Amino acid sequence: MDALTATGVCRRYGEQEVLKDFSLTLGAGGFEALMGPSGSGKSTFLHLAAGLLAADAGSIVIGGTDVTRLSDSAAARFRRRHVGVVFQAFNLLNEKTVAENIVLPLRLDRARPDRARFEKLVGVLGLADKLQKKPEQLSGGERQRVAIARALMAGPDVVLADEPTGNLDVQAAKELCALLKELNATSPSAILVVTHDPVVAATATRVNFLKDGRIVAAHDTHGDAERVARLYLETFA
């Protein structure tokens, strides 16, 4: 079963149709990027897939469930169990420790965190010595690592990352890209990352270009940022 299948998705803001017959398939365990000009609907789609917005038409199926048919409360429960979301702004709770932030979705779901998974994630993400710190005591790159650990903690079907390197310096962004690639190789969760950065997109195995509300092209990245940048320019010239 595919991790995510979007079919004929439409979303309007007033008179503006941001997504028009948008369709995308992300295979189980896959790692793909979504790129497009500012305002093309990239973040809108991620919010729809996470159940944070309602689609006007179409379906988004994750793990066999059409999230567009869920009520707000059902979408919140489904998101905690099956969808990890990583925002550019981190969205961590400053009054809680790193450890508490990582397991928060599970606690809200009254589920017991998997200790082995927790220890593996904090080890891979270099957070083992930061667990009792508060987010405000961390660097931007460290806070984004906490957000990624939180997104992966429940073993979701898919992780949706919205410009995850947007608030990071160049070195931290490179480190985060390497970590995303490593996590994808060692985790069953599929990853869909929205980005404007060819370096980030090249971390994924495939890049999808969004134009005029729909996917107009998709290419294997071959891990080559220059190739992604060239294909982007050819598509949007």
Side-chain angles (χ1 to χ4, degrees):
M1 180 185 297
D2 291 321
L4 180 153
T5 304
T7 307
V9 177
C10 299
R11 170 70 188 192
R12 288 181 175 274
Y13 289 107
E15 295 299 315
Q16 182 183 8
E17 193 172 21
V18 178
L19 294 176
K20 313 170 188 177
D21 195 28
F22 176 102
S23 296
L24 174 70
T25 299
L26 176 62
F31 186 3
E32 299 196 14
L34 184 60
M35 297 185 75
S38 179
S40 61
K42 304 184 300 296
S43 294
T44 294
F45 175 69
L46 251 62
H47 283 74
L48 291 169
L52 296 167
L53 285 176
D56 295 316
S59 66
I60 303 173
V61 176
I62 295 175
T65 297
D66 186 349
V67 299
T68 66
R69 303 291 184 261
L70 299 177
S71 66
D72 288 346
S73 58
R77 287 193 300 272
F78 184 82
R79 186 166 53 249
R80 290 195 296 266
R81 298 172 185 177
H82 300 282
V83 182
V85 185
V86 180
F87 296 100
Q88 180 178 342
F90 314 132
N91 285 16
L92 302 175
L93 298 182
N94 286 322
E95 67 273 17
K96 293 190 176 295
T97 66
V98 165
E100 290 169 335
N101 269 284
I102 291 172
V103 300
L104 182 61
L106 289 168
R107 296 299 189 195
L108 291 173
D109 208 31
R110 298 179 181 176
R112 184 184 297 274
D114 183 321
R115 189 67 194 177
R117 175 181 288 276
F118 178 87
E119 291 178 354
K120 178 181 178 181
L121 283 173
V122 300
V124 170
L125 290 164
L127 296 170
D129 61 344
K130 306 288 192 302
L131 296 179
Q132 298 310 311
K133 292 183 178 294
K134 300 291 180 66
E136 61 189 13
Q137 298 174 287
L138 306 179
S139 68
E142 290 168 340
R143 279 180 282 175
Q144 195 60 294
R145 292 182 185 201
V146 176
I148 290 170
R150 180 184 60 191
L152 284 162
M153 188 60 213
D157 295 297
V158 62
V159 173
L160 306 172
D162 192 1
E163 297 283 7
T165 63
N167 284 329
L168 305 182
D169 60 37
V170 173
Q171 183 58 37
K174 287 182 178 179
E175 292 174 359
L176 186 64
C177 287
L179 284 169
L180 284 173
K181 191 169 184 176
E182 180 179 354
L183 288 166
N184 178 247
T186 58
S187 166
S189 302
I191 300 175
L192 180 64
V193 58
V194 159
T195 184
H196 67 280
D197 188 341
V199 174
V200 178
T203 306
T205 57
R206 192 165 177 80
V207 60
N208 302 274
F209 292 139
L210 177 60
K211 182 179 182 180
D212 296 330
R214 57 176 61 90
I215 301 295
V216 295
H219 303 275
D220 292 337
T221 69
H222 302 301
D224 187 340
E226 291 186 1
R227 167 182 165 83
V228 173
R230 183 180 70 254
L231 290 168
Y232 183 93
L233 289 174
E234 290 173 356
T235 302
F236 297 104

